[in-house]
Amino acid sequence: MIFGGHPTSSTMVIRHMSKMPSMSDRILTLGAKHVFRVFTLPDDALFSLLRPTITNNAHQWFKLLANPIWLSLPVPREDQLPKVLKAMITSHLHQSFLAARQSKVLLSACCLSLGVDPLLWLPMTSLECSRFLRWRMGWLPGKPRPCACDLHHTSRHHLIDCLGVAIRLGVLSTSLPNPIDFVLNQLPMSRPRNNNKTPFWTCVWPVLCCIMVETDQICLPDGDFTTSLDEDHGALLLRWHGFFLLKIWTCQVVPIANTTPLMDQNNSVMQYLFVCTFQQPSTNLCLCLPPTPLMAPYHAPFESGNRHPENTPVCILMPPWCW
């Protein structure tokens, strides 16, 4: 799933994405927990009886008491609840991450929140996941090579400009850290409970997956992308998000008689009502679809009788309640 790095590639990005602190942070966290548990021991425990006799400042116990996480607890530290210690540990890990990302370009492009990155658990194909992970880790585009445009080498900044990523995703070209990572940082951390961002993902996610395929093709010109070109990009995530991505072949588009498009206050089309004949001749379905950039192929055939060319795949995004 992850390939294209070199023997000295940094693992800082993938550790942050998988919520794995550095060894130094783990040592501090374990030490703070150890000190906290010492003060919760019963009075007749062995260490509770020995603790008053420890007077040598060079003893390991005094080194543990100098733990910065332990010292950040409010006084009296011995009487604090476990949830206070947990909050201090989280705060320390967050501050450590913020300090590290100031000098690491790839790490600064990752999501600010501490947790397992959605790219590691959201439903997508192994190829899609591989491309996004390699992009995050800097292994895609990887080693610079001549771009297909013959104007520059395959750097991240050039590929974003060359492929028109910002325009295709519908975001500002000045989006930080860059249009691709800006969109990836908006991925849901849990299954959505409302449809507030559903239109955004139904338009953006398939386009983003296509952009990553094109980037992979440019950076690996000798690779085999037959499977990637035939698959429905982003279909697994959209299905999980509550939408179905349908592939239509010879599709007859016939508007409903005496029906006009519904308009909003700005005189823009809100939704169309029409009948599509799918791949099966007996399948006629009445759809009520909001206009999106992915519906661009349908702007021309809205007139009755228009037909798409034979064997030309067209994608429609359809909410499940339209079945």
Side-chain angles (χ1 to χ4, degrees):
M1 178 175 291
I2 303 177
F3 63 91
H6 52 82
T8 59
S9 296
S10 174
T11 59
M12 189 172 294
V13 173
I14 194 64
R15 283 196 290 104
H16 170 70
M17 295 179 64
S18 56
K19 197 182 178 181
M20 294 179 61
S22 63
M23 290 304 299
S24 58
D25 288 333
R26 295 188 195 184
I27 293 173
L28 292 177
T29 300
L30 185 60
K33 291 181 177 179
H34 178 73
V35 175
F36 185 83
R37 289 166 183 163
V38 165
F39 289 100
T40 61
L41 293 174
D43 296 336
D44 57 348
L46 178 60
F47 193 76
S48 298
L49 298 175
L50 292 176
R51 185 157 50 88
T53 65
I54 302 176
T55 58
N56 187 358
N57 292 333
H59 195 277
Q60 190 67 30
W61 170 243
F62 290 99
K63 295 181 180 179
L64 290 175
L65 289 177
N67 187 292
I69 299 178
W70 169 254
L71 295 177
S72 64
L73 291 175
V75 179
R77 303 182 182 92
E78 300 84 357
D79 299 333
Q80 298 301 322
L81 297 175
K83 64 179 182 181
V84 179
L85 175 63
K86 183 178 180 180
M88 288 301 174
I89 292 175
T90 303
S91 176
H92 171 80
L93 294 177
H94 187 65
Q95 293 299 325
S96 178
F97 167 67
L98 293 179
R101 74 191 302 267
Q102 292 180 358
S103 59
K104 304 294 183 181
V105 176
L106 295 176
L107 192 62
S108 64
C110 295
C111 186
L112 283 174
S113 60
L114 296 179
V116 179
D117 195 284
L119 290 174
L120 296 177
W121 58 268
L122 283 175
M124 62 184 77
T125 65
S126 59
L127 291 176
E128 291 172 347
C129 184
S130 173
R131 294 186 187 105
F132 286 123
L133 290 181
R134 285 186 284 132
W135 173 268
R136 284 288 209 191
M137 299 175 66
W139 298 4
L140 185 67
K143 184 179 180 180
R145 62 176 66 245
C147 183
C149 65
D150 295 329
L151 297 178
H152 208 274
H153 63 274
T154 55
S155 65
R156 293 165 72 94
H157 294 291
H158 173 71
L159 288 174
I160 290 174
D161 294 336
C162 183
L163 298 176
V165 173
I167 297 176
R168 294 168 65 180
L169 294 180
V171 300
L172 296 176
S173 59
T174 56
S175 300
L176 297 178
N178 59 69
I180 293 180
D181 287 308
F182 173 79
V183 173
L184 292 179
N185 289 339
Q186 311 300 317
L187 285 171
M189 299 297 292
S190 60
R191 195 183 187 101
R193 298 183 179 181
N194 54 60
N195 298 324
N196 292 341
K197 288 192 175 183
T198 295
F200 173 78
W201 289 115
T202 53
C203 299
V204 169
W205 185 249
V207 177
L208 181 58
C209 291
C210 292
I211 290 173
M212 298 309 297
V213 173
E214 296 172 12
T215 302
D216 214 4
Q217 286 180 302
I218 294 175
C219 299
L220 298 174
D222 299 330
D224 183 11
F225 296 92
T226 305
T227 305
S228 299
L229 295 176
D230 293 339
E231 66 184 11
D232 295 327
H233 301 295
L236 294 180
L237 178 61
L238 294 180
R239 191 177 297 116
W240 174 83
H241 210 286
F243 272 68
F244 295 91
L245 188 63
L246 302 181
K247 180 175 285 188
I248 301 176
W249 291 90
T250 307
C251 177
Q252 181 80 23
V253 180
V254 183
I256 301 297
N258 300 324
T259 300
T260 56
L262 302 178
M263 317 294 286
D264 59 10
Q265 296 179 353
N266 298 324
N267 205 28
S268 300
V269 177
M270 294 177 59
Q271 54 188 3
Y272 287 102
L273 189 64
F274 54 89
V275 172
C276 292
T277 302
F278 289 89
Q279 191 173 359
Q280 293 80 7
S282 60
T283 305
N284 291 324
L285 187 63
C286 181
L287 304 178
C288 188
L289 299 174
T292 68
L294 293 181
M295 290 180 60
Y298 285 93
H299 292 168
F302 272 145
E303 297 181 0
S304 178
N306 286 352
R307 179 183 291 272
H308 284 282
E310 292 272 334
N311 298 328
T312 301
V314 180
C315 288
I316 280 187
L317 290 170
M318 184 176 62
W321 51 84
C322 289
W323 283 93

